[in-house]
Amino acid sequence: MLFVDTFTVPAGTTAASPVERELPVAHGIIHLAEVVFLDGPENEVHVTLSRGLHQFAPSHPDGSIVGNAEAVPASLFEPIEEPPYFIIIRAWSPDADYAHEITVRINMLLREELIPDRPEAGILQRIGKL
């Protein structure tokens, strides 16, 4: 499942008052996220991905994703198996002179697609899944 949001971050947007977007997703596990920066922001637009208060990309809470003319990928294992089914995108650009367009792509799979049942799994593991 692929979920995408494209939005504009105005020049001078502060970290204290970022652009916030709720991206609806589905029940499953985020295994890949990409933040796409067109040519121009020169690492001055910062982006984070969160679920509630839990920031999952980047993993370190004081960090942010930046870039220029590139898609910045993040390999993840972020389960979203209970509502609400959305992630929060925050973006800011305090030092930018111009507004910049950012695209966020979220790739999700169901748990059983990422971790398929193995025939050699023990009886207790199979019973536990029931």
Side-chain angles (χ1 to χ4, degrees):
M1 298 172 277
L2 176 64
F3 303 92
V4 179
D5 190 12
T6 300
F7 58 97
T8 300
V9 182
T13 303
T14 66
S17 187
V19 172
E20 286 194 2
R21 308 275 295 191
E22 288 185 358
L23 175 59
V25 295
H27 177 95
I29 297 174
I30 299 172
H31 68 95
L32 178 66
E34 290 182 313
V35 179
V36 181
F37 298 92
L38 300 177
D39 191 19
E42 300 292 337
N43 300 319
E44 292 181 347
V45 177
H46 302 261
V47 178
T48 63
L49 306 177
S50 302
R51 185 148 193 267
L53 298 176
H54 167 63
Q55 179 179 308
F56 61 87
S59 300
H60 53 292
D62 293 331
S64 63
I65 300 166
V66 297
N68 186 63
E70 63 184 316
V72 179
S75 294
L76 303 165
F77 189 91
E78 184 65 34
I80 300 185
E81 298 176 315
E82 295 180 9
Y85 295 110
F86 64 83
I87 63 163
I88 300 167
I89 304 166
R90 289 185 181 91
W92 63 96
S93 58
D95 299 323
D97 293 328
Y98 304 98
H100 294 285
E101 188 175 274
I102 303 298
T103 298
V104 174
R105 299 180 191 136
I106 301 293
N107 287 282
M108 296 183 76
L109 290 172
L110 297 174
R111 182 176 288 276
E112 51 271 16
E113 293 173 309
L114 280 172
I115 309 169
D117 283 334
R118 296 184 332 234
E120 67 273 9
I123 186 74
L124 293 177
Q125 286 178 327
R126 285 186 252 152
I127 291 171
K129 289 186 180 187
L130 291 174

